[in-house]
Amino acid sequence: MKKYILIITSIIFGFNALFAQEELTQSIRGTVVDAQSAYPIIGATVQILVADELKGTSTDVDGNFLLENVPIGRNNIKVSYIGYEEALLPNILVASGKESFVSVELREELTELNEIVVKAERSNQKAINTMASGSVQVLSMEELMRFSGGFGDPARMAQNYAGVSGASDTRNDIIVRGNSPSGVLWRLEGIDIPSPNHWSTLGTTGGPISMLNPNNLSDSDFLSGAFAAEYGNATAAVFDLGLRNGNYEKFEFLGQIGFNGFEFGAEGPLRVGKNASFIANARYSTLGVFKALGIDFGTGSAIPEYADATFKINIPTEKVGRFSFWGIGGVSDITFGDEEDNAYSVGSEQVNSGAETAVVGLSHLYFFDDQTSSNLSIAWSYSNGYATALEVRDSNTLALDPTFISDNRQTKLGVNWSINRKINAKNRLKTGIMADVYDLSVEDSILLSDDIWFKEVDFTG
């Protein structure tokens, strides 16, 4: 009997030693394109330092690359190509459960003879929009996840930059050099969109919780001044956001719990053309889930309930360009009741506030040649911010009657079409047209006396 116990114990220790020596690895995927023309770069060298050994690969005909067997943790990636400036991507996080994806833009290198030029480089990261020459920061989604207290919110992250501040910790409004937050422009996939925040109201650009999911966003530009000509209707700042493509090789799934909610996501290949993919993520309020489970926070009915979803379908074709169908949407609602046993009681009054936002769009990128491209985006958006106040006006019945009603709706159809021409390594030409058609329905009403309402705002058209 002792002999069998000894043999089993030896086997267990043998397996433990085997697993202890096994190193967890994962893959890194990405694309490499020309920074000015956005055309894929074929044969670019991608290298990574692993265990004091340099591993590498090269991009295919579509500018895509795959680095396999990369140890989990943070890694540095170097991308180079003949005639282009070298790019260094530091501290790329590699997790065991999901492949990492990076997007790299290389700039053509300029060489002048018989002259010495000394330059002070601000950062290895260049603006995604090369027409933006100053006061621009590139927001890396990998970097966003490392900011303490940012809640995965690009707006809160931007408040760390010079000249930028927030109004309070309860909202993510952006104040740039004293300008009003209302002067901030949000742009997604080339289309100007309503405020992508829960509990947003018409005319504002911030909110308490962002609808933007960092798991769906690609590297984006934040401009705090000196806007390029294509940015209109903005006086304070511009967020030029993009959505990343899904994994076109294999299916991946995501599940996590955090401040922003219970989140579930999926991405993977589509059997349409070559390298077609989809990605979709959805979140629901963490406190809303706890409320459904019967957990009492001492706030009565004043539980913030919200949900949002983001998706993108990417379909490249060989002859007619690349098509993308994308969208983002969210709903939010909270009621401050007249209960006396909660921290947010408003006495004999009940207040309800919420918002609904949705944006869906279609984009088309077409290359006439490796120097000239066309980019067309069409999107429909809808936003509605509402609030209602009810009071007890009859002490006999104790019935709650409405005393204030606010219902502000905006529907918009937007089009953005541009032609981009790379002239040489130093110059490029971009021209295009943008058009927005708005449909508004705005109403704010206050009850003055019995059946007499005063409409502060009343407009439809």
Side-chain angles (χ1 to χ4, degrees):
M1 183 65 180
K2 293 181 179 180
K3 182 186 298 183
Y4 294 125
I5 294 175
L6 179 62
I7 293 174
I8 294 173
T9 304
S10 300
I11 294 174
I12 293 174
F13 277 116
F15 275 111
N16 287 339
L18 178 63
F19 288 123
Q21 295 176 358
E22 183 180 359
E23 185 179 29
L24 294 176
T25 62
Q26 186 54 273
S27 301
I28 299 179
R29 296 184 182 275
T31 60
V32 181
V33 299
D34 185 287
Q36 291 182 300
S37 66
Y39 197 78
I41 297 179
I42 305 172
T45 301
V46 183
Q47 296 176 310
I48 186 171
L49 186 63
V50 177
D52 298 329
E53 179 183 354
L54 200 62
K55 296 181 61 176
T57 185
S58 59
T59 56
D60 58 17
V61 294
D62 297 313
N64 300 318
F65 68 86
L66 171 63
L67 282 169
E68 297 180 300
N69 300 322
V70 179
I72 63 172
R74 298 197 177 274
N75 296 269
N76 299 328
I77 298 177
K78 183 174 70 173
V79 183
S80 58
Y81 188 70
I82 297 176
Y84 284 77
E85 297 178 3
E86 188 178 89
L88 178 64
L89 285 70
N91 298 321
I92 299 299
L93 180 62
V94 179
S96 59
K98 190 175 185 297
E99 290 186 341
S100 299
F101 182 87
V102 296
S103 179
V104 185
E105 294 185 346
L106 294 183
R107 293 177 178 271
E108 196 168 350
E109 188 175 19
L110 298 175
T111 303
E112 295 185 9
L113 302 179
N114 302 323
E115 186 175 328
I116 296 177
V117 179
V118 179
K119 294 183 178 180
E121 291 290 343
R122 179 187 64 184
S123 169
N124 288 328
Q125 283 189 308
K126 306 292 184 179
I128 306 299
N129 185 349
T130 54
M131 288 293 187
S133 58
S135 298
V136 57
Q137 297 282 347
V138 178
L139 285 94
S140 166
M141 293 307 110
E142 195 277 334
E143 183 183 11
L144 170 62
M145 301 301 291
R146 287 190 279 151
F147 265 72
S148 176
F151 303 127
D153 184 352
R156 296 182 190 271
M157 175 182 172
Q159 295 174 7
N160 291 276
Y161 295 132
V164 185
S165 64
S168 68
D169 290 338
T170 61
R171 292 176 58 89
N172 61 6
D173 294 288
I174 299 172
I175 301 173
V176 180
R177 304 184 187 95
N179 285 283
S180 169
S182 299
V184 176
L185 173 69
W186 290 94
R187 177 172 291 187
L188 182 65
E189 294 288 304
I191 295 292
D192 297 347
I193 63 172
S195 172
N197 296 285
H198 293 295
W199 287 282
S200 62
T201 56
L202 188 64
T204 65
T205 60
I209 299 173
S210 174
M211 289 193 315
L212 299 171
N213 192 326
N215 291 312
N216 292 74
L217 295 176
S218 63
D219 291 350
S220 306
D221 284 338
F222 172 69
L223 299 92
S224 58
F227 308 139
E230 62 191 86
Y231 300 114
N233 298 331
T235 56
V238 174
F239 258 108
D240 194 347
L241 303 167
L243 297 174
R244 74 176 181 89
N245 298 326
N247 191 330
Y248 57 84
E249 288 289 342
K250 67 177 185 179
F251 290 97
E252 293 183 314
F253 303 92
L254 172 94
Q256 64 182 22
I257 304 173
F259 170 82
N260 289 328
F262 281 70
E263 179 177 352
F264 301 95
E267 59 181 293
L270 294 174
R271 299 184 182 277
V272 181
K274 180 183 178 183
N275 295 339
S277 65
F278 79 94
I279 180 172
N281 286 67
R283 300 183 297 192
Y284 184 76
S285 165
T286 303
L287 297 180
V289 174
F290 289 161
K291 175 186 176 182
L293 296 176
I295 301 176
D296 185 12
F297 293 94
T299 60
S301 60
I303 299 293
E305 298 187 52
Y306 56 89
D308 54 62
T310 310
F311 74 91
K312 183 178 182 181
I313 298 174
N314 181 55
I315 304 177
T317 64
E318 294 184 2
K319 295 183 179 181
V320 292
R322 185 179 70 198
F323 293 89
S324 299
F325 180 55
W326 50 271
I328 180 173
V331 294
S332 51
D333 186 84
I334 188 171
T335 299
F336 298 92
D338 58 350
E339 305 97 335
E340 297 181 355
D341 58 346
N342 70 74
Y344 298 100
S345 174
V346 288
S348 61
E349 185 180 6
Q350 178 177 302
V351 179
N352 174 253
S353 175
E356 301 170 343
T357 304
V359 184
V360 290
L362 179 66
S363 300
H364 177 241
L365 175 64
Y366 179 77
F367 287 96
F368 298 98
D369 53 45
D370 59 354
Q371 306 291 325
T372 310
S373 63
S374 165
N375 200 336
L376 173 65
S377 293
I378 302 174
W380 173 88
S381 65
Y382 169 80
S383 62
N384 175 26
Y386 58 87
T388 304
L390 301 97
E391 294 182 9
V392 175
R393 304 180 63 246
D394 188 342
S395 58
N396 295 322
T397 63
L398 297 180
L400 289 169
D401 297 318
T403 58
F404 172 79
I405 297 175
S406 175
D407 189 6
N408 302 321
R409 304 169 185 263
Q410 172 186 291
T411 304
K412 190 188 75 167
L413 179 64
V415 179
N416 185 354
W417 178 60
S418 64
I419 296 289
N420 183 62
R421 172 68 180 179
K422 178 180 178 181
I423 300 174
N424 50 44
K426 197 174 183 179
N427 303 287
R428 75 177 178 121
L429 177 66
K430 185 176 182 180
T431 185
I433 186 171
M434 297 177 61
D436 293 320
V437 179
Y438 289 86
D439 185 16
L440 296 172
S441 176
V442 185
E443 179 183 354
D444 276 348
S445 300
I446 299 176
L447 181 65
L448 298 179
S449 60
D450 293 340
D451 300 325
I452 299 178
W453 288 82
F454 172 68
K455 294 186 177 181
E456 293 184 302
V457 180
D458 185 13
F459 174 81
T460 300

